[in-house]
Amino acid sequence: QVQLVESGGGLVQPGGSLRLSCAASGTIFRLSTMGWYRQTPGKQRELVARIFRTGMTNYADSVKGRFTISRDNAKRTVSLQMNSLKPEDTAVYYCNGDPPYGTWGQGTQVTVSS
Protein backbone atom coordinates (compact mmCIF):
# COMPACT_ATOMS: atom_id res chain seq x y z
CA GLN A 1 0.00 0.00 0.00
CA VAL A 2 1.33 3.41 -0.98
CA GLN A 3 2.03 5.85 1.82
CA LEU A 4 2.99 9.48 1.26
CA VAL A 5 3.98 11.82 4.06
CA GLU A 6 4.50 15.51 3.32
CA SER A 7 6.22 18.00 5.60
CA GLY A 8 7.84 21.41 5.63
CA GLY A 9 4.92 23.77 5.18
CA GLY A 10 4.32 26.86 7.26
CA LEU A 11 3.67 30.58 7.29
CA VAL A 12 6.06 32.75 5.30
CA GLN A 13 6.08 36.35 4.14
CA PRO A 14 5.86 37.22 0.45
CA GLY A 15 9.25 36.83 -1.17
CA GLY A 16 10.28 34.17 1.32
CA SER A 17 11.24 30.53 0.82
CA LEU A 18 10.15 27.12 2.01
CA ARG A 19 11.32 23.61 1.31
CA LEU A 20 8.77 20.82 1.26
CA SER A 21 9.65 17.15 1.62
CA CYS A 22 7.77 13.97 0.90
CA ALA A 23 8.60 10.45 2.01
CA ALA A 24 7.13 7.66 -0.07
CA SER A 25 6.75 3.98 0.69
CA GLY A 26 4.97 1.09 -0.92
CA THR A 27 5.88 2.05 -4.48
CA ILE A 28 8.61 1.26 -6.95
CA PHE A 29 9.76 4.80 -6.29
CA ARG A 30 12.80 4.89 -8.55
CA LEU A 31 10.65 4.01 -11.57
CA SER A 32 7.92 6.50 -10.82
CA THR A 33 7.33 9.98 -12.10
CA MET A 34 6.62 12.04 -9.00
CA GLY A 35 4.80 15.30 -8.69
CA TRP A 36 3.89 18.07 -6.30
CA TYR A 37 0.31 19.22 -6.36
CA ARG A 38 -1.53 21.97 -4.57
CA GLN A 39 -5.13 22.69 -3.72
CA THR A 40 -7.03 25.68 -2.42
CA PRO A 41 -10.62 25.61 -1.13
CA GLY A 42 -13.15 25.36 -3.92
CA LYS A 43 -10.58 24.59 -6.58
CA GLN A 44 -9.32 21.44 -8.18
CA ARG A 45 -5.99 20.05 -7.19
CA GLU A 46 -3.33 21.16 -9.67
CA LEU A 47 0.02 19.70 -10.57
CA VAL A 48 2.73 22.33 -10.14
CA ALA A 49 5.90 20.32 -10.69
CA ARG A 50 6.90 16.85 -11.84
CA ILE A 51 10.13 14.94 -11.97
CA PHE A 52 10.65 11.91 -14.17
CA ARG A 53 12.71 8.91 -13.16
CA THR A 54 15.48 10.30 -15.38
CA GLY A 55 15.58 13.48 -13.33
CA MET A 56 14.02 15.60 -16.05
CA THR A 57 11.60 18.15 -14.64
CA ASN A 58 8.82 20.40 -15.74
CA TYR A 59 6.71 23.04 -14.05
CA ALA A 60 3.43 24.86 -14.27
CA ASP A 61 3.85 28.32 -15.73
CA SER A 62 2.73 29.87 -12.44
CA VAL A 63 5.78 28.51 -10.58
CA LYS A 64 8.40 28.26 -13.30
CA GLY A 65 11.65 29.92 -12.28
CA ARG A 66 10.67 29.98 -8.60
CA PHE A 67 10.13 26.33 -7.63
CA THR A 68 12.57 23.44 -7.99
CA ILE A 69 11.62 19.80 -7.63
CA SER A 70 14.20 17.16 -6.80
CA ARG A 71 14.30 13.52 -5.77
CA ASP A 72 16.50 11.11 -3.88
CA ASN A 73 15.75 7.59 -5.03
CA ALA A 74 17.89 5.98 -2.34
CA LYS A 75 15.93 7.76 0.40
CA ARG A 76 12.64 7.54 -1.49
CA THR A 77 12.00 11.23 -1.04
CA VAL A 78 10.94 14.06 -3.29
CA SER A 79 11.39 17.71 -2.38
CA LEU A 80 10.10 21.06 -3.55
CA GLN A 81 12.20 24.16 -3.01
CA MET A 82 9.95 27.20 -3.22
CA ASN A 83 11.50 30.65 -3.58
CA SER A 84 10.05 34.11 -4.16
CA LEU A 85 6.76 32.96 -2.71
CA LYS A 86 3.61 34.89 -3.49
CA PRO A 87 0.28 35.05 -1.67
CA GLU A 88 -1.30 33.11 -4.54
CA ASP A 89 0.99 30.18 -3.69
CA THR A 90 -1.02 29.69 -0.50
CA ALA A 91 -2.46 26.17 -0.61
CA VAL A 92 -2.22 22.68 0.79
CA TYR A 93 0.63 20.92 -1.01
CA TYR A 94 0.67 17.20 -1.72
CA CYS A 95 3.10 14.86 -3.37
CA ASN A 96 1.99 11.89 -5.41
CA GLY A 97 2.83 9.96 -8.50
CA ASP A 98 2.06 11.33 -11.92
CA PRO A 99 -0.49 10.05 -12.65
CA PRO A 100 -1.50 9.93 -8.98
CA TYR A 101 -1.66 6.74 -6.98
CA GLY A 102 -5.02 5.86 -5.48
CA THR A 103 -4.23 7.40 -2.10
CA TRP A 104 -3.12 10.84 -0.94
CA GLY A 105 -1.18 11.93 2.09
CA GLN A 106 -2.39 14.53 4.53
CA GLY A 107 -0.63 17.35 2.70
CA THR A 108 1.22 20.29 4.19
CA GLN A 109 -0.20 23.79 4.48
CA VAL A 110 1.72 26.66 2.93
CA THR A 111 0.54 30.15 3.78
CA VAL A 112 2.14 33.19 2.21
CA SER A 113 1.06 36.33 3.97
CA SER A 114 2.46 39.48 5.51
Side-chain angles (χ1 to χ4, degrees), residues 52-98:
F52 297 91
R53 60 178 180 169
T54 58
M56 185 181 299
T57 60
N58 57 41
Y59 301 89
D61 287 343
S62 58
V63 308
K64 201 172 293 183
R66 301 188 297 120
F67 289 11
T68 303
I69 188 171
S70 60
R71 67 191 295 162
D72 185 329
N73 288 339
K75 295 182 179 179
R76 303 173 63 84
T77 59
V78 59
S79 299
L80 187 69
Q81 177 66 42
M82 306 187 295
N83 298 328
S84 302
L85 282 162
K86 304 175 180 180
E88 51 264 44
D89 295 318
T90 296
V92 180
Y93 284 73
Y94 303 86
C95 72
N96 211 314
D98 179 29

mmCIF file of all heavy atoms in Angstrom, residues 52-98:
data_model
loop_
_atom_site.group_PDB
_atom_site.id
_atom_site.type_symbol
_atom_site.label_atom_id
_atom_site.label_comp_id
_atom_site.label_asym_id
_atom_site.label_seq_id
_atom_site.Cartn_x
_atom_site.Cartn_y
_atom_site.Cartn_z
ATOM 1 N N PHE A 52 10.653 13.244 -13.591
ATOM 2 C CA PHE A 52 10.653 11.907 -14.168
ATOM 3 C C PHE A 52 11.750 11.071 -13.511
ATOM 4 O O PHE A 52 12.631 11.593 -12.819
ATOM 5 C CB PHE A 52 10.860 12.003 -15.677
ATOM 6 C CG PHE A 52 9.758 12.744 -16.386
ATOM 7 C CD1 PHE A 52 9.828 14.108 -16.600
ATOM 8 C CD2 PHE A 52 8.627 12.070 -16.817
ATOM 9 C CE1 PHE A 52 8.804 14.800 -17.243
ATOM 10 C CE2 PHE A 52 7.598 12.753 -17.466
ATOM 11 C CZ PHE A 52 7.686 14.119 -17.662
ATOM 12 N N ARG A 53 11.708 9.778 -13.760
ATOM 13 C CA ARG A 53 12.714 8.906 -13.157
ATOM 14 C C ARG A 53 14.105 9.251 -13.654
ATOM 15 O O ARG A 53 15.097 8.957 -13.001
ATOM 16 C CB ARG A 53 12.377 7.441 -13.431
ATOM 17 C CG ARG A 53 12.325 7.081 -14.896
ATOM 18 C CD ARG A 53 12.034 5.599 -15.065
ATOM 19 N NE ARG A 53 11.966 5.219 -16.462
ATOM 20 C CZ ARG A 53 11.937 3.959 -16.881
ATOM 21 N NH1 ARG A 53 11.964 2.980 -16.003
ATOM 22 N NH2 ARG A 53 11.873 3.694 -18.160
ATOM 23 N N THR A 54 14.189 9.885 -14.822
ATOM 24 C CA THR A 54 15.479 10.298 -15.380
ATOM 25 C C THR A 54 16.041 11.538 -14.695
ATOM 26 O O THR A 54 17.198 11.884 -14.893
ATOM 27 C CB THR A 54 15.326 10.623 -16.860
ATOM 28 O OG1 THR A 54 14.342 11.670 -17.006
ATOM 29 C CG2 THR A 54 14.885 9.401 -17.648
ATOM 30 N N GLY A 55 15.194 12.216 -13.931
ATOM 31 C CA GLY A 55 15.584 13.483 -13.327
ATOM 32 C C GLY A 55 15.106 14.695 -14.095
ATOM 33 O O GLY A 55 15.214 15.827 -13.612
ATOM 34 N N MET A 56 14.575 14.494 -15.286
ATOM 35 C CA MET A 56 14.019 15.604 -16.047
ATOM 36 C C MET A 56 12.821 16.168 -15.297
ATOM 37 O O MET A 56 12.075 15.424 -14.662
ATOM 38 C CB MET A 56 13.597 15.124 -17.423
ATOM 39 C CG MET A 56 13.109 16.224 -18.344
ATOM 40 S SD MET A 56 12.604 15.594 -19.951
ATOM 41 C CE MET A 56 14.128 14.876 -20.522
ATOM 42 N N THR A 57 12.657 17.485 -15.383
ATOM 43 C CA THR A 57 11.595 18.151 -14.636
ATOM 44 C C THR A 57 10.766 19.040 -15.551
ATOM 45 O O THR A 57 11.225 19.465 -16.615
ATOM 46 C CB THR A 57 12.168 19.028 -13.518
ATOM 47 O OG1 THR A 57 13.034 20.023 -14.102
ATOM 48 C CG2 THR A 57 12.967 18.206 -12.522
ATOM 49 N N ASN A 58 9.556 19.300 -15.149
ATOM 50 C CA ASN A 58 8.819 20.405 -15.737
ATOM 51 C C ASN A 58 7.854 20.988 -14.725
ATOM 52 O O ASN A 58 7.578 20.390 -13.679
ATOM 53 C CB ASN A 58 8.163 20.063 -17.074
ATOM 54 C CG ASN A 58 7.236 18.892 -17.006
ATOM 55 O OD1 ASN A 58 6.480 18.728 -16.068
ATOM 56 N ND2 ASN A 58 7.295 18.057 -18.043
ATOM 57 N N TYR A 59 7.417 22.224 -15.030
ATOM 58 C CA TYR A 59 6.706 23.036 -14.053
ATOM 59 C C TYR A 59 5.510 23.730 -14.682
ATOM 60 O O TYR A 59 5.507 24.052 -15.873
ATOM 61 C CB TYR A 59 7.652 24.116 -13.494
ATOM 62 C CG TYR A 59 8.881 23.562 -12.826
ATOM 63 C CD1 TYR A 59 10.032 23.311 -13.561
ATOM 64 C CD2 TYR A 59 8.871 23.249 -11.468
ATOM 65 C CE1 TYR A 59 11.159 22.773 -12.955
ATOM 66 C CE2 TYR A 59 9.986 22.717 -10.849
ATOM 67 C CZ TYR A 59 11.124 22.477 -11.594
ATOM 68 O OH TYR A 59 12.226 21.945 -10.989
ATOM 69 N N ALA A 60 4.525 23.999 -13.840
ATOM 70 C CA ALA A 60 3.434 24.856 -14.272
ATOM 71 C C ALA A 60 3.981 26.263 -14.498
ATOM 72 O O ALA A 60 4.928 26.688 -13.818
ATOM 73 C CB ALA A 60 2.343 24.887 -13.203
ATOM 74 N N ASP A 61 3.381 26.972 -15.426
ATOM 75 C CA ASP A 61 3.850 28.322 -15.733
ATOM 76 C C ASP A 61 3.839 29.226 -14.500
ATOM 77 O O ASP A 61 4.682 30.105 -14.351
ATOM 78 C CB ASP A 61 2.986 28.948 -16.830
ATOM 79 C CG ASP A 61 3.254 28.337 -18.195
ATOM 80 O OD1 ASP A 61 4.300 27.675 -18.364
ATOM 81 O OD2 ASP A 61 2.414 28.524 -19.097
ATOM 82 N N SER A 62 2.893 29.008 -13.609
ATOM 83 C CA SER A 62 2.734 29.873 -12.438
ATOM 84 C C SER A 62 3.896 29.769 -11.454
ATOM 85 O O SER A 62 4.081 30.669 -10.624
ATOM 86 C CB SER A 62 1.426 29.544 -11.720
ATOM 87 O OG SER A 62 1.391 28.189 -11.335
ATOM 88 N N VAL A 63 4.677 28.696 -11.533
ATOM 89 C CA VAL A 63 5.782 28.507 -10.577
ATOM 90 C C VAL A 63 7.141 28.419 -11.250
ATOM 91 O O VAL A 63 8.169 28.351 -10.564
ATOM 92 C CB VAL A 63 5.563 27.262 -9.693
ATOM 93 C CG1 VAL A 63 4.176 27.317 -9.037
ATOM 94 C CG2 VAL A 63 5.733 25.974 -10.483
ATOM 95 N N LYS A 64 7.149 28.422 -12.565
ATOM 96 C CA LYS A 64 8.402 28.259 -13.298
ATOM 97 C C LYS A 64 9.382 29.357 -12.930
ATOM 98 O O LYS A 64 9.021 30.543 -12.853
ATOM 99 C CB LYS A 64 8.102 28.299 -14.804
ATOM 100 C CG LYS A 64 9.156 27.680 -15.683
ATOM 101 C CD LYS A 64 8.682 27.597 -17.123
ATOM 102 C CE LYS A 64 7.538 26.619 -17.279
ATOM 103 N NZ LYS A 64 7.095 26.464 -18.680
ATOM 104 N N GLY A 65 10.618 28.956 -12.659
ATOM 105 C CA GLY A 65 11.654 29.916 -12.276
ATOM 106 C C GLY A 65 11.710 30.198 -10.788
ATOM 107 O O GLY A 65 12.653 30.826 -10.305
ATOM 108 N N ARG A 66 10.705 29.739 -10.057
ATOM 109 C CA ARG A 66 10.668 29.982 -8.598
ATOM 110 C C ARG A 66 10.734 28.688 -7.795
ATOM 111 O O ARG A 66 11.277 28.680 -6.694
ATOM 112 C CB ARG A 66 9.388 30.739 -8.225
ATOM 113 C CG ARG A 66 9.241 32.085 -8.912
ATOM 114 C CD ARG A 66 8.050 32.858 -8.359
ATOM 115 N NE ARG A 66 6.779 32.175 -8.607
ATOM 116 C CZ ARG A 66 5.927 31.771 -7.650
ATOM 117 N NH1 ARG A 66 6.224 32.004 -6.370
ATOM 118 N NH2 ARG A 66 4.788 31.180 -7.955
ATOM 119 N N PHE A 67 10.165 27.613 -8.327
ATOM 120 C CA PHE A 67 10.134 26.332 -7.630
ATOM 121 C C PHE A 67 11.098 25.356 -8.297
ATOM 122 O O PHE A 67 11.281 25.380 -9.522
ATOM 123 C CB PHE A 67 8.741 25.722 -7.692
ATOM 124 C CG PHE A 67 7.692 26.429 -6.860
ATOM 125 C CD1 PHE A 67 7.920 27.671 -6.288
ATOM 126 C CD2 PHE A 67 6.455 25.825 -6.653
ATOM 127 C CE1 PHE A 67 6.943 28.307 -5.528
ATOM 128 C CE2 PHE A 67 5.469 26.447 -5.897
ATOM 129 C CZ PHE A 67 5.713 27.680 -5.343
ATOM 130 N N THR A 68 11.679 24.488 -7.479
ATOM 131 C CA THR A 68 12.571 23.445 -7.992
ATOM 132 C C THR A 68 12.221 22.122 -7.327
ATOM 133 O O THR A 68 12.232 22.023 -6.094
ATOM 134 C CB THR A 68 14.040 23.786 -7.716
ATOM 135 O OG1 THR A 68 14.362 25.051 -8.292
ATOM 136 C CG2 THR A 68 14.949 22.716 -8.315
ATOM 137 N N ILE A 69 11.920 21.131 -8.139
ATOM 138 C CA ILE A 69 11.619 19.799 -7.629
ATOM 139 C C ILE A 69 12.865 18.937 -7.750
ATOM 140 O O ILE A 69 13.631 19.069 -8.714
ATOM 141 C CB ILE A 69 10.424 19.176 -8.388
ATOM 142 C CG1 ILE A 69 9.967 17.875 -7.741
ATOM 143 C CG2 ILE A 69 10.744 18.975 -9.867
ATOM 144 C CD1 ILE A 69 8.658 17.321 -8.310
ATOM 145 N N SER A 70 13.064 18.072 -6.769
ATOM 146 C CA SER A 70 14.201 17.157 -6.797
ATOM 147 C C SER A 70 13.796 15.843 -6.145
ATOM 148 O O SER A 70 12.762 15.769 -5.465
ATOM 149 C CB SER A 70 15.406 17.775 -6.084
ATOM 150 O OG SER A 70 15.105 18.052 -4.734
ATOM 151 N N ARG A 71 14.613 14.828 -6.353
ATOM 152 C CA ARG A 71 14.298 13.520 -5.774
ATOM 153 C C ARG A 71 15.576 12.839 -5.328
ATOM 154 O O ARG A 71 16.655 13.083 -5.870
ATOM 155 C CB ARG A 71 13.538 12.657 -6.773
ATOM 156 C CG ARG A 71 14.342 12.237 -7.990
ATOM 157 C CD ARG A 71 13.437 11.608 -9.047
ATOM 158 N NE ARG A 71 12.843 10.357 -8.595
ATOM 159 C CZ ARG A 71 11.778 9.800 -9.167
ATOM 160 N NH1 ARG A 71 11.202 10.368 -10.197
ATOM 161 N NH2 ARG A 71 11.310 8.646 -8.702
ATOM 162 N N ASP A 72 15.416 11.961 -4.351
ATOM 163 C CA ASP A 72 16.497 11.106 -3.875
ATOM 164 C C ASP A 72 15.944 9.697 -3.883
ATOM 165 O O ASP A 72 15.191 9.311 -2.982
ATOM 166 C CB ASP A 72 16.934 11.542 -2.475
ATOM 167 C CG ASP A 72 18.146 10.770 -1.971
ATOM 168 O OD1 ASP A 72 18.304 9.595 -2.348
ATOM 169 O OD2 ASP A 72 18.918 11.327 -1.187
ATOM 170 N N ASN A 73 16.320 8.928 -4.895
ATOM 171 C CA ASN A 73 15.750 7.588 -5.034
ATOM 172 C C ASN A 73 16.195 6.665 -3.907
ATOM 173 O O ASN A 73 15.439 5.794 -3.488
ATOM 174 C CB ASN A 73 16.121 7.001 -6.382
ATOM 175 C CG ASN A 73 15.387 7.663 -7.530
ATOM 176 O OD1 ASN A 73 14.335 8.276 -7.337
ATOM 177 N ND2 ASN A 73 15.938 7.560 -8.725
ATOM 178 N N ALA A 74 17.399 6.836 -3.421
ATOM 179 C CA ALA A 74 17.889 5.981 -2.338
ATOM 180 C C ALA A 74 17.081 6.203 -1.059
ATOM 181 O O ALA A 74 16.798 5.252 -0.327
ATOM 182 C CB ALA A 74 19.359 6.253 -2.080
ATOM 183 N N LYS A 75 16.704 7.439 -0.812
ATOM 184 C CA LYS A 75 15.933 7.758 0.395
ATOM 185 C C LYS A 75 14.436 7.735 0.137
ATOM 186 O O LYS A 75 13.644 7.882 1.071
ATOM 187 C CB LYS A 75 16.339 9.130 0.927
ATOM 188 C CG LYS A 75 17.768 9.205 1.418
ATOM 189 C CD LYS A 75 18.091 10.582 1.965
ATOM 190 C CE LYS A 75 19.521 10.643 2.483
ATOM 191 N NZ LYS A 75 19.862 11.991 2.994
ATOM 192 N N ARG A 76 14.053 7.566 -1.119
ATOM 193 C CA ARG A 76 12.637 7.537 -1.494
ATOM 194 C C ARG A 76 11.940 8.829 -1.083
ATOM 195 O O ARG A 76 10.849 8.826 -0.497
ATOM 196 C CB ARG A 76 11.934 6.327 -0.885
ATOM 197 C CG ARG A 76 12.590 4.994 -1.279
ATOM 198 C CD ARG A 76 11.987 3.830 -0.530
ATOM 199 N NE ARG A 76 10.594 3.642 -0.834
ATOM 200 C CZ ARG A 76 10.125 2.965 -1.869
ATOM 201 N NH1 ARG A 76 10.949 2.421 -2.747
ATOM 202 N NH2 ARG A 76 8.825 2.833 -2.057
ATOM 203 N N THR A 77 12.581 9.932 -1.365
ATOM 204 C CA THR A 77 12.001 11.227 -1.038
ATOM 205 C C THR A 77 11.961 12.128 -2.267
ATOM 206 O O THR A 77 12.762 11.983 -3.192
ATOM 207 C CB THR A 77 12.795 11.950 0.061
ATOM 208 O OG1 THR A 77 14.145 12.129 -0.380
ATOM 209 C CG2 THR A 77 12.790 11.160 1.362
ATOM 210 N N VAL A 78 11.014 13.028 -2.260
ATOM 211 C CA VAL A 78 10.936 14.065 -3.290
ATOM 212 C C VAL A 78 10.736 15.394 -2.575
ATOM 213 O O VAL A 78 9.990 15.471 -1.585
ATOM 214 C CB VAL A 78 9.810 13.761 -4.305
ATOM 215 C CG1 VAL A 78 8.459 13.659 -3.636
ATOM 216 C CG2 VAL A 78 9.787 14.776 -5.417
ATOM 217 N N SER A 79 11.413 16.418 -3.042
ATOM 218 C CA SER A 79 11.391 17.712 -2.379
ATOM 219 C C SER A 79 10.941 18.804 -3.342
ATOM 220 O O SER A 79 11.025 18.645 -4.561
ATOM 221 C CB SER A 79 12.778 18.048 -1.839
ATOM 222 O OG SER A 79 13.206 17.089 -0.897
ATOM 223 N N LEU A 80 10.488 19.893 -2.759
ATOM 224 C CA LEU A 80 10.101 21.057 -3.553
ATOM 225 C C LEU A 80 10.671 22.296 -2.868
ATOM 226 O O LEU A 80 10.226 22.659 -1.770
ATOM 227 C CB LEU A 80 8.586 21.166 -3.677
ATOM 228 C CG LEU A 80 8.083 22.258 -4.616
ATOM 229 C CD1 LEU A 80 8.424 21.905 -6.069
ATOM 230 C CD2 LEU A 80 6.573 22.462 -4.466
ATOM 231 N N GLN A 81 11.643 22.908 -3.487
ATOM 232 C CA GLN A 81 12.200 24.159 -3.009
ATOM 233 C C GLN A 81 11.391 25.296 -3.621
ATOM 234 O O GLN A 81 11.287 25.404 -4.854
ATOM 235 C CB GLN A 81 13.669 24.293 -3.411
ATOM 236 C CG GLN A 81 14.312 25.605 -3.003
ATOM 237 C CD GLN A 81 14.429 25.760 -1.504
ATOM 238 O OE1 GLN A 81 14.783 24.804 -0.806
ATOM 239 N NE2 GLN A 81 14.137 26.950 -1.003
ATOM 240 N N MET A 82 10.819 26.128 -2.762
ATOM 241 C CA MET A 82 9.950 27.199 -3.222
ATOM 242 C C MET A 82 10.572 28.537 -2.827
ATOM 243 O O MET A 82 10.731 28.813 -1.629
ATOM 244 C CB MET A 82 8.554 27.054 -2.615
ATOM 245 C CG MET A 82 7.928 25.697 -2.862
ATOM 246 S SD MET A 82 6.211 25.605 -2.326
ATOM 247 C CE MET A 82 6.427 25.819 -0.563
ATOM 248 N N ASN A 83 10.902 29.327 -3.806
ATOM 249 C CA ASN A 83 11.496 30.647 -3.576
ATOM 250 C C ASN A 83 10.561 31.728 -4.111
ATOM 251 O O ASN A 83 9.654 31.457 -4.902
ATOM 252 C CB ASN A 83 12.852 30.737 -4.266
ATOM 253 C CG ASN A 83 13.852 29.731 -3.740
ATOM 254 O OD1 ASN A 83 13.833 29.364 -2.569
ATOM 255 N ND2 ASN A 83 14.747 29.278 -4.622
ATOM 256 N N SER A 84 10.825 32.954 -3.696
ATOM 257 C CA SER A 84 10.046 34.105 -4.156
ATOM 258 C C SER A 84 8.550 33.838 -4.041
ATOM 259 O O SER A 84 7.783 34.062 -4.987
ATOM 260 C CB SER A 84 10.411 34.444 -5.611
ATOM 261 O OG SER A 84 11.790 34.709 -5.740
ATOM 262 N N LEU A 85 8.156 33.359 -2.894
ATOM 263 C CA LEU A 85 6.762 32.959 -2.705
ATOM 264 C C LEU A 85 5.826 34.152 -2.790
ATOM 265 O O LEU A 85 6.158 35.270 -2.372
ATOM 266 C CB LEU A 85 6.605 32.240 -1.377
ATOM 267 C CG LEU A 85 7.099 30.779 -1.404
ATOM 268 C CD1 LEU A 85 7.339 30.259 0.000
ATOM 269 C CD2 LEU A 85 6.092 29.897 -2.135
ATOM 270 N N LYS A 86 4.639 33.881 -3.313
ATOM 271 C CA LYS A 86 3.609 34.891 -3.494
ATOM 272 C C LYS A 86 2.358 34.482 -2.722
ATOM 273 O O LYS A 86 2.151 33.279 -2.488
ATOM 274 C CB LYS A 86 3.257 35.013 -4.975
ATOM 275 C CG LYS A 86 4.431 35.316 -5.889
ATOM 276 C CD LYS A 86 3.996 35.294 -7.342
ATOM 277 C CE LYS A 86 5.149 35.584 -8.272
ATOM 278 N NZ LYS A 86 4.730 35.570 -9.703
ATOM 279 N N PRO A 87 1.515 35.429 -2.369
ATOM 280 C CA PRO A 87 0.277 35.055 -1.675
ATOM 281 C C PRO A 87 -0.550 34.020 -2.441
ATOM 282 O O PRO A 87 -1.190 33.156 -1.817
ATOM 283 C CB PRO A 87 -0.468 36.392 -1.565
ATOM 284 C CG PRO A 87 0.624 37.411 -1.502
ATOM 285 C CD PRO A 87 1.692 36.890 -2.425
ATOM 286 N N GLU A 88 -0.518 34.070 -3.759
ATOM 287 C CA GLU A 88 -1.296 33.109 -4.541
ATOM 288 C C GLU A 88 -0.717 31.700 -4.507
ATOM 289 O O GLU A 88 -1.330 30.763 -5.036
ATOM 290 C CB GLU A 88 -1.443 33.573 -5.998
ATOM 291 C CG GLU A 88 -0.148 33.960 -6.677
ATOM 292 C CD GLU A 88 0.113 35.464 -6.635
ATOM 293 O OE1 GLU A 88 -0.096 36.079 -5.560
ATOM 294 O OE2 GLU A 88 0.556 36.008 -7.667
ATOM 295 N N ASP A 89 0.447 31.516 -3.883
ATOM 296 C CA ASP A 89 0.992 30.177 -3.687
ATOM 297 C C ASP A 89 0.385 29.508 -2.446
ATOM 298 O O ASP A 89 0.650 28.325 -2.195
ATOM 299 C CB ASP A 89 2.512 30.227 -3.523
ATOM 300 C CG ASP A 89 3.227 30.702 -4.766
ATOM 301 O OD1 ASP A 89 2.838 30.273 -5.876
ATOM 302 O OD2 ASP A 89 4.176 31.498 -4.642
ATOM 303 N N THR A 90 -0.383 30.246 -1.683
ATOM 304 C CA THR A 90 -1.022 29.687 -0.498
ATOM 305 C C THR A 90 -1.935 28.532 -0.894
ATOM 306 O O THR A 90 -2.804 28.674 -1.758
ATOM 307 C CB THR A 90 -1.841 30.771 0.230
ATOM 308 O OG1 THR A 90 -0.934 31.772 0.704
ATOM 309 C CG2 THR A 90 -2.621 30.180 1.392
ATOM 310 N N ALA A 91 -1.705 27.376 -0.265
ATOM 311 C CA ALA A 91 -2.458 26.166 -0.613
ATOM 312 C C ALA A 91 -1.997 25.032 0.297
ATOM 313 O O ALA A 91 -1.012 25.166 1.023
ATOM 314 C CB ALA A 91 -2.215 25.784 -2.073
ATOM 315 N N VAL A 92 -2.713 23.933 0.222
ATOM 316 C CA VAL A 92 -2.218 22.680 0.791
ATOM 317 C C VAL A 92 -1.454 21.964 -0.317
ATOM 318 O O VAL A 92 -1.979 21.803 -1.436
ATOM 319 C CB VAL A 92 -3.353 21.798 1.323
ATOM 320 C CG1 VAL A 92 -2.783 20.498 1.899
ATOM 321 C CG2 VAL A 92 -4.142 22.542 2.390
ATOM 322 N N TYR A 93 -0.242 21.561 -0.020
ATOM 323 C CA TYR A 93 0.625 20.922 -1.006
ATOM 324 C C TYR A 93 0.709 19.426 -0.719
ATOM 325 O O TYR A 93 0.862 19.004 0.440
ATOM 326 C CB TYR A 93 2.014 21.547 -0.968
ATOM 327 C CG TYR A 93 2.068 22.907 -1.640
ATOM 328 C CD1 TYR A 93 1.489 24.014 -1.028
ATOM 329 C CD2 TYR A 93 2.672 23.072 -2.879
ATOM 330 C CE1 TYR A 93 1.507 25.260 -1.651
ATOM 331 C CE2 TYR A 93 2.705 24.304 -3.505
ATOM 332 C CZ TYR A 93 2.124 25.396 -2.886
ATOM 333 O OH TYR A 93 2.145 26.628 -3.493
ATOM 334 N N TYR A 94 0.629 18.654 -1.793
ATOM 335 C CA TYR A 94 0.673 17.203 -1.725
ATOM 336 C C TYR A 94 1.711 16.675 -2.707
ATOM 337 O O TYR A 94 1.905 17.258 -3.788
ATOM 338 C CB TYR A 94 -0.664 16.596 -2.134
ATOM 339 C CG TYR A 94 -1.866 17.045 -1.344
ATOM 340 C CD1 TYR A 94 -2.563 18.201 -1.692
ATOM 341 C CD2 TYR A 94 -2.335 16.291 -0.270
ATOM 342 C CE1 TYR A 94 -3.676 18.599 -0.981
ATOM 343 C CE2 TYR A 94 -3.457 16.677 0.438
ATOM 344 C CZ TYR A 94 -4.121 17.841 0.086
ATOM 345 O OH TYR A 94 -5.234 18.223 0.786
ATOM 346 N N CYS A 95 2.317 15.566 -2.358
ATOM 347 C CA CYS A 95 3.102 14.863 -3.370
ATOM 348 C C CYS A 95 2.342 13.593 -3.749
ATOM 349 O O CYS A 95 1.521 13.074 -2.989
ATOM 350 C CB CYS A 95 4.499 14.519 -2.878
ATOM 351 S SG CYS A 95 4.567 13.214 -1.656
ATOM 352 N N ASN A 96 2.605 13.123 -4.945
ATOM 353 C CA ASN A 96 1.995 11.891 -5.413
ATOM 354 C C ASN A 96 2.683 11.498 -6.700
ATOM 355 O O ASN A 96 3.529 12.234 -7.227
ATOM 356 C CB ASN A 96 0.490 12.071 -5.644
ATOM 357 C CG ASN A 96 -0.283 10.791 -5.390
ATOM 358 O OD1 ASN A 96 0.118 9.720 -5.852
ATOM 359 N ND2 ASN A 96 -1.369 10.890 -4.645
ATOM 360 N N GLY A 97 2.341 10.331 -7.194
ATOM 361 C CA GLY A 97 2.834 9.959 -8.501
ATOM 362 C C GLY A 97 2.152 10.786 -9.576
ATOM 363 O O GLY A 97 1.179 11.488 -9.342
ATOM 364 N N ASP A 98 2.684 10.699 -10.776
ATOM 365 C CA ASP A 98 2.057 11.330 -11.918
ATOM 366 C C ASP A 98 1.980 10.291 -13.035
ATOM 367 O O ASP A 98 2.998 9.978 -13.637
ATOM 368 C CB ASP A 98 2.869 12.534 -12.387
ATOM 369 C CG ASP A 98 2.255 13.204 -13.607
ATOM 370 O OD1 ASP A 98 1.012 13.138 -13.755
ATOM 371 O OD2 ASP A 98 2.999 13.773 -14.429
#
